[in-house]
Amino acid sequence: MIVDDEKGIRQSLAGVLEDEGFVAHAVESGEACLELLERRAYDCILLDIWLPGISGIETLARLRDLYSDLAVVMISGHGTIETAVQATKLGAFDFIEKPLTLEKTLVTVRNAIRQKRLEAEAAQLRHQLIR
């Protein structure tokens, strides 16, 4: 899922991800992101820092409380080191600065999904060993 208030970025990212074989949905706010997650599961969310309504950081905090196994990559054109550190402390997988590059974005999304799948597999194996 792509969460960004800029329509052009949402459309561009969705198009690129779909060209690479991903199913991509795009929304314009943190509230819309949380609402969509009630109806559908996602492997990765690209989440802008600056959003109307609840901020990307607040959305990330809510995502961590509700969906702790979800990979979240923060994106921002106005990011600071403090914001990146705060996002990382809240559990963001990575932080990408705008303007986004195609290669870095795709590598980051693939790595985030791979990491979360490996973590899920490890947890499942640990659970099987405990039995």
Side-chain angles (χ1 to χ4, degrees):
M1 180 190 319
I2 300 139
V3 186
D4 199 299
D5 60 328
E6 295 181 51
K7 185 177 181 180
I9 290 175
R10 289 193 312 267
Q11 290 175 335
S12 296
L13 278 174
V16 165
L17 291 169
E18 287 171 353
D19 287 347
E20 293 295 318
F22 295 100
V23 174
H25 296 109
V27 295
E28 70 287 342
S29 68
E31 293 88 349
C33 168
L34 295 167
E35 183 181 312
L36 190 54
L37 277 167
E38 291 176 8
R39 298 189 310 265
R40 180 180 169 94
Y42 290 89
D43 291 321
C44 183
I45 295 182
L46 293 168
L47 178 60
D48 192 16
I49 294 284
W50 301 108
L51 296 169
I54 63 172
S55 71
I57 293 291
E58 176 62 26
T59 302
L60 175 62
R62 291 185 189 183
L63 289 171
R64 282 293 140 242
D65 289 340
L66 298 169
Y67 310 97
S68 60
D69 59 340
L70 186 60
V72 180
V73 176
M74 303 304 292
I75 57 176
S76 181
H78 311 287
T80 64
I81 294 199
E82 293 165 12
T83 306
V85 168
Q86 183 181 11
T88 302
K89 284 182 178 179
L90 285 170
F93 176 80
D94 203 347
F95 188 96
I96 305 175
E97 290 184 280
K98 293 178 184 174
L100 303 174
T101 63
L102 173 64
E103 187 66 28
K104 179 162 178 56
T105 303
L106 290 173
V107 166
T108 302
V109 167
R110 285 186 183 115
N111 287 343
I113 292 170
R114 184 179 306 116
Q115 177 69 28
K116 288 302 177 179
R117 286 185 181 159
L118 288 171
E119 288 173 6
E121 285 178 28
Q124 183 180 26
L125 289 171
R126 276 192 301 274
H127 180 71
Q128 288 174 355
L129 287 172
I130 293 172
R131 287 185 176 187

